[in-house]
Amino acid sequence: MKPFAIAVHGGAGTIARAEMTPAREKSYREALEEAVRRGQDVLQRGGHALDAVETAVRVLEDSPHFNAGRGSVFNADGQHEMDASIMEGTSLRAGAVACVHNVKNPVSLARLVMEKSPHVLLSGMGAFEFAHRHKVMLEDDQYFFDQFRYEQWQRTRGTDTYQLDHSDEDRKYGTVGAVALDQQGGLAAATSTGGMTNKQFQRIGDSPLIGAGTYANNRTCAVSCTGHGESFIRAVAAHEVHARMAHGGLPLVEAVRQVVHEVLPPLEGDGGMIAVDTNGHVVLDFNCTGMYRGYAMGGGAVESAIFR
Ligand code: ASP
């Protein structure tokens, strides 16, 4: 059997170990492991990396634990605006959506943009109209309402501050993503988020930007990022990992280390990323206290972790 691998993340940030009860940790890790397992099943049956990452991200979007899909945070206007993207490394096709609302699984809408439109990125009402046309599953506002998220927003409401979801003490953690290598040697990456609490109306982060929050190229690797989006955009973080491998000849682990620990910190780029290369090596690295993450190599055991 050829190598295959999948990794997922559920956000990174200043996660307070003292506030993480065993029960809470268990439920987060179960959700992460379920996402890995569902993606691993796709790969084990010989399925494509693109299907594996979409499947894994949908599991996390449907969980209220994470800041994506159902669990998305509130923006400054008290709305949920979601960003998502997906890319496959064989043909470098990509699709993304920004500032969408009421869409149950933004990652699948991003995939439709890739497959059913001549464009890469659709935003706002244009993306919503496209979702309608393609009969994408929608949910009413109540589906996205969460008391914790609401209280989290009340603490920043009316101020100019916005915050990384996972750096808030209410412990409702972050953006989700997945990367995979399939048995045909194909790589894919996907990322989905509700963004940052109290973000300005129609603010767009790194998650839907190909090269910043998401990138996949069969020459090198697939990458999905999480963290302070503005910094990841300025660092073109996901593509930077690819570039250091393609042009500098670095192995994946070193390329990720340089971007996470050397390139991002001077830009106040708190966060992390997950990545997989063409040999199925998985790297999950971050420059803050924790990152919700999980992975499986081949048909092996599903692993998950939060802290270092
Ligand atoms: N990167 C996301 C954004 O800036 C936030 C996150 O990863 O939690 O929208």
Side-chain angles (χ1 to χ4, degrees), residues 216-252:
N217 188 320
N218 281 8
R219 283 173 61 200
T220 54
C221 62
V223 182
S224 170
C225 301
T226 176
H228 191 258
E230 280 68 10
S231 315
F232 282 72
I233 293 171
R234 289 159 63 211
V236 203
H239 185 271
E240 188 62 23
V241 174
H242 155 78
R244 283 170 194 242
M245 293 177 74
H247 310 304
L250 294 185
L252 180 71

Side-chain angles (χ1 to χ4, degrees), residues 9-24:
H9 70 75
T14 316
I15 301 167
R17 203 184 276 267
E19 288 168 9
M20 181 57 69
T21 64
R24 188 170 288 125

Side-chain angles (χ1 to χ4, degrees), residues 67 164 166 174-175 193 195-196 203 205-207 225-230:
N67 171 22
L164 264 183
H166 25 255
T175 293
T193 188
M196 313 229 280
R203 172 265 188 187
D206 60 315
S207 308
C225 301
T226 176
H228 191 258
E230 280 68 10

Side-chain angles (χ1 to χ4, degrees), residues 61-135:
E61 285 179 338
D62 290 344
S63 163
H65 287 330
F66 304 100
N67 171 22
R70 180 168 197 175
S72 292
V73 296
F74 287 88
N75 71 5
D77 290 355
Q79 298 165 344
H80 305 282
E81 282 183 335
M82 300 171 282
D83 299 338
S85 64
I86 192 163
M87 181 169 191
E88 58 108 8
T90 308
S91 59
L92 304 186
R93 288 185 310 158
V97 291
C99 303
V100 296
H101 52 86
N102 298 97
V103 173
K104 182 167 183 277
N105 293 108
V107 70
S108 297
L109 183 58
R111 182 166 177 176
L112 278 171
V113 171
M114 175 176 109
E115 290 177 341
K116 306 269 189 235
S117 90
H119 307 299
V120 169
L121 173 57
L122 292 181
S123 71
M125 285 313 290
F128 191 63
E129 192 270 332
F130 179 82
H132 248 283
R133 209 170 346 123
H134 290 278
K135 303 195 171 27

